[in-house]
């Protein structure tokens, strides 16, 4: 395989899909060496089959808003690869959603799911519908209309969606309710469900907690304690909130949060009490992070990004490409020791190069945020068994999985000077399992 040739070919076929090309390029560059040690992969054109999704459903969603106006949105489900298990990946509701973003997410998800050690393939879906500013009734009608089309293509052993940006417990519940009614079955086709109807304990916390468990493993390799470390967290949604919760439990000090309008910097640290306020503000009142600064009298920077502040650890937890080269240079210069990605592909390729050049502890989302989907896998297992595990059991399994993922990254990513290239480690480990399974199953 020659990476540039493959990428150029994909660019010609999918010219308007920059995020997809970015994700594919990053993975191919890091697996090139290993891939080329296996001529049997090249003989069956494995690379192209692995980069191009199995199928994409695209459909119109029509719904009625509170004023009685008929609205339409576009929606998609990308079923990327199901060689090692049913398609699995979240649903995103955000005005920016398009095929390129969903293809990049589904591609990444395939390797991430492989890394979790659980039998799950990769997929992703979503719509350009934005829940922001919509009433509960509007969100419900949209979710129902979305499922009216999608339900035929998903199922407990075919494709199991979950949440992502703009899709939390409320949206999953509305979608699952409609799915259950149409499919006339109750087998847990969604994960991230409410605890009363098949959800797993610790699933809401899992992505943020998992990211910190992974960070602890990275810090351990350098003998560094997390206690007292000042942490820059971006976003203020599900991942950011539970990242902060775990940091606080471990004696670290989160000092920032953000949303798409701006960020807050609280030099005294975000305490448990302040975090409870953020959860109420964001999950129930659906307000803006600016209100935190007004309540606690701290700095708010409209339109700014948290990376302008100084911290020991950076935890990007909002969205793709939210941390660029300049941000990365500033972080390195100001003494930041670790970056662990809660979001998917939040650092641009140039930013990643800066972190790696500086030999920083840097974990890509594929490894660091895999705790979310791993716990979704545990939810699927509990649904299949018709049993529920305790909080301690799930949390213990999550810790074990994050430790395993870290071990795989070390195994495949350690360089000759003892630096751990977590990007290479995660990509090679995730890739090898899917590639071997595809090879074994023949040309299909
Ligand atoms: P939420 O919708 O709960 O929160 C997203 C947060 O990011 C919000 O604060 C939002 O602000 C902000 N944000 C979204 N888009 C932008 C943007 N374009 N610019 C600036 N800020 C933005 O989503 P999650 O917390 O679930 O997801 C966050 C990230 O983590 C995503 O990359 C997601 O793919 C990834 N992830 C999530 C998992 C999960 O289990 N939920 C699992 C693995 C990865 P605003 O409210 O203004 O839109």
């Amino acid at each position: 395989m020659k990476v540039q040739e493959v990428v150029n070919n994909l660019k010609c076929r999918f010219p308007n899909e920059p995020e997809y090309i970015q994700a594919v390029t990053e993975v191919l560059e890091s697996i090139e060496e290993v891939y080329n040690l296996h001529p049997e992969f090249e003989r069956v054109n494995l690379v192209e089959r692995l980069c191009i999704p199995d199928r994409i459903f695209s459909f119109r969603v029509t719904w009625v808003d509170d004023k009685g106006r008929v609205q339409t949105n576009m929606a998609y489900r990308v079923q990327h690869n199901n060689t090692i298990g049913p398609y699995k990946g979240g649903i995103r509701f955000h005005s920016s959603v398009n095929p390129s973003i969903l293809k990049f997410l589904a591609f990444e998800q395939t390797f991430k799911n492989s890394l979790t050690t659980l039998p799950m393939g990769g997929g992703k879906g979503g719509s350009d519908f934005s829940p922001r500013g919509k009433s509960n009734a509007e969100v419900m009608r949209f979710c129902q209309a979305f499922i009216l089309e999608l339900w035929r293509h998903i199922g407990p052993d075919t494709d199991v969606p979950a949440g992502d940006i703009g899709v939390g417990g409320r949206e999953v519940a509305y979608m699952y309710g409609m799915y259950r009614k149409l499919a006339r079955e109750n087998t847990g086709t969604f994960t991230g469900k409410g605890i009363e109807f098949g959800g797993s304990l610790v699933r809401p916390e899992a992505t943020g907690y998992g990211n910190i468990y992974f960070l602890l493993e990275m810090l351990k390799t350098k003998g560094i304690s997390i206690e007292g470390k000042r942490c820059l967290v971006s976003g203020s949604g599900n991942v950011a909130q539970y990242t902060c919760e775990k940091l606080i439990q471990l004696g670290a000090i989160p000092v920032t949060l953000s949303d798409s309008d701006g960020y807050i910097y609280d030099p005294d640290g975000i305490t448990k009490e302040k975090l409870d306020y953020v959860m109420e503000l964001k999950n129930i009142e659906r307000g803006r992070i600016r209100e935190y600064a007004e309540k606690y009298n701290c700095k708010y920077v409209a339109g700014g990004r948290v990376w302008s502040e100084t911290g020991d650890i950076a935890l990007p937890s909002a969205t793709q490409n939210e941390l660029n080269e300049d941000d990365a240079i500033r972080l390195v210069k100001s003494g930041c020791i670790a970056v662990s990605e809660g979001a998917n592909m939040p650092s641009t390729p140039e930013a990643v190069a800066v972190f790696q050049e500086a030999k920083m502890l840097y974990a890509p989302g594929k490894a660091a945020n895999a705790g979310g989907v791993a716990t979704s896998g545990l939810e699927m297992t509990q649904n299949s068994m018709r049993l529920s595990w305790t909080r301690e059991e799930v949390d213990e399994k999550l810790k074990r999985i994050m430790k395993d993922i870290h071990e795989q990254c070390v195994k495949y990513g350690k360089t000759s000077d003892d630096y751990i290239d977590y990007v290479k480690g995660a990509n090679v480990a995730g890739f090898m399992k899917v590639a071997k399974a595809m090879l074994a199953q023949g040309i299909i």
Side-chain angles (χ1 to χ4, degrees):
M1 164 181 68
K2 290 201 177 75
V3 173
Q4 211 45 56
E5 269 176 28
V6 179
V7 170
N8 285 342
N9 176 286
L10 290 174
K11 270 187 190 161
C12 289
R13 293 162 81 177
F14 310 106
N16 302 314
E17 301 189 352
E19 294 87 359
Y20 168 64
I21 298 294
Q22 180 183 337
V24 168
T25 308
E26 184 227 84
V27 169
L28 295 191
E29 280 175 350
S30 59
I31 63 163
E32 182 174 19
E33 198 185 323
V34 174
Y35 186 94
N36 286 334
L37 294 174
H38 293 270
E40 68 276 20
F41 291 165
E42 191 63 6
R43 275 199 289 275
V44 294
N45 197 5
L46 205 118
V47 68
E48 216 167 82
R49 291 161 56 205
L50 200 49
C51 289
I52 298 178
D54 289 353
R55 67 191 67 78
I56 305 175
F57 298 106
S58 64
F59 49 99
R60 169 174 51 78
V61 180
T62 300
W63 57 285
V64 182
D65 71 16
D66 285 348
K67 294 201 170 96
R69 289 177 307 215
V70 177
Q71 303 278 356
T72 62
N73 285 96
M74 277 311 294
Y76 315 86
R77 182 71 181 169
V78 180
Q79 295 185 335
H80 189 85
N81 188 299
N82 68 346
T83 312
I84 64 169
Y87 301 107
K88 178 87 196 88
I91 302 271
R92 178 175 290 193
F93 291 164
H94 194 270
S95 52
S96 63
V97 162
N98 60 35
S100 171
I101 289 179
L102 295 179
K103 277 174 72 179
F104 117 64
L105 288 164
F107 175 79
E108 289 278 294
Q109 193 82 46
T110 300
F111 300 104
K112 183 192 304 187
N113 293 2
S114 160
L115 270 179
T116 63
T117 70
L118 303 174
M120 296 182 289
K124 200 87 188 187
S127 169
D128 56 9
F129 169 80
S130 169
R132 193 170 158 182
K134 305 287 192 306
S135 70
N136 270 330
E138 287 176 323
V139 170
M140 181 179 76
R141 287 196 293 274
F142 176 81
C143 288
Q144 292 176 338
F146 176 82
I147 289 299
L148 196 55
E149 186 65 36
L150 187 67
W151 79 277
R152 291 180 194 84
H153 309 300
I154 57 178
D157 296 311
T158 49
D159 186 348
V160 183
D164 190 70
I165 290 179
V167 178
R170 175 182 63 170
E171 291 76 13
V172 167
Y174 287 147
M175 288 192 276
Y176 183 63
M178 191 64 174
Y179 172 80
R180 188 180 53 68
K181 193 174 171 72
L182 291 165
R184 304 208 304 174
E185 50 118 304
N186 221 324
T187 43
T189 291
F190 273 79
T191 59
K193 299 185 292 297
I195 203 71
E196 306 81 4
F197 48 95
S200 173
L201 288 164
V202 192
R203 177 60 189 92
E205 296 90 336
T207 309
Y209 278 21
N211 188 16
I212 302 305
Y213 295 153
F214 194 89
L215 172 68
L216 290 176
E217 292 299 318
M218 288 206 294
L219 293 174
K220 215 193 287 174
T221 66
K222 301 266 181 204
I224 300 171
S225 159
I226 197 167
E227 228 181 307
K229 295 287 179 298
R230 296 176 72 79
C231 302
L232 305 176
V233 181
S234 64
S236 50
N238 170 273
V239 179
Q241 291 171 15
Y242 289 105
T243 295
C244 284
E245 185 166 279
K246 187 49 79 180
L247 288 171
I248 296 165
Q249 284 172 11
L250 295 172
I253 309 164
V255 290
T256 61
L257 282 171
S258 67
D259 59 25
S260 45
D261 295 337
Y263 78 87
I264 60 107
Y265 173 65
D266 185 343
D268 299 333
I270 298 164
T271 58
K272 178 75 182 90
E273 181 213 332
K274 292 173 180 173
L275 182 61
D276 287 344
Y277 166 76
V278 172
M279 289 184 175
E280 171 90 17
L281 175 73
K282 284 289 172 182
N283 308 344
I284 296 165
E285 290 167 25
R286 305 204 178 259
R288 310 307 297 158
I289 202 65
R290 170 181 37 79
E291 295 167 55
Y292 177 105
E294 287 156 14
K295 182 168 171 70
Y296 294 110
N297 196 23
C298 69
K299 175 166 148 187
Y300 172 71
V301 181
R305 292 196 295 194
V306 306
W307 323 120
S308 314
E309 302 298 335
T310 301
D312 302 306
I313 294 168
L315 299 150
S317 309
T319 193
Q320 65 274 357
N321 293 327
E322 55 161 311
L323 195 162
N324 65 25
E325 186 176 19
D326 290 343
D327 300 323
I329 293 170
R330 194 176 313 112
L331 286 173
V332 170
K333 277 197 180 143
S334 63
C336 180
I337 51 173
V339 180
S340 199
E341 295 182 342
N344 285 311
M345 207 168 76
S347 309
T348 62
E350 297 77 19
V352 175
V354 171
F355 296 143
Q356 294 194 320
E357 181 74 16
K359 304 267 177 203
M360 248 173 116
L361 293 172
Y362 164 70
K366 195 178 289 125
N369 72 33
V373 71
T375 309
S376 278
L378 301 178
E379 183 172 327
M380 290 164 72
T381 307
Q382 292 169 80
N383 291 164
S384 299
M385 295 194 305
R386 303 286 195 271
L387 278 176
S388 298
W389 290 325
T390 63
R391 170 169 285 275
E392 290 70 29
E393 279 174 289
V394 181
D395 197 33
E396 211 33 63
K397 287 180 174 34
L398 171 61
K399 277 185 192 147
R400 178 73 250 165
I401 289 170
M402 298 316 293
K403 215 171 154 53
D404 274 351
I405 296 174
H406 186 267
E407 277 166 18
Q408 293 181 68
C409 290
V410 174
K411 178 175 168 194
Y412 290 103
K414 201 162 203 159
T415 60
S416 52
D417 59 356
D418 264 3
Y419 176 64
I420 304 165
D421 180 342
Y422 286 93
V423 175
K424 182 174 180 202
N427 284 336
V428 172
F431 162 78
M432 282 308 279
K433 183 167 156 190
V434 181
K436 283 181 184 168
M438 286 176 73
L439 197 66
Q441 292 179 27
I443 300 168
I444 40 176

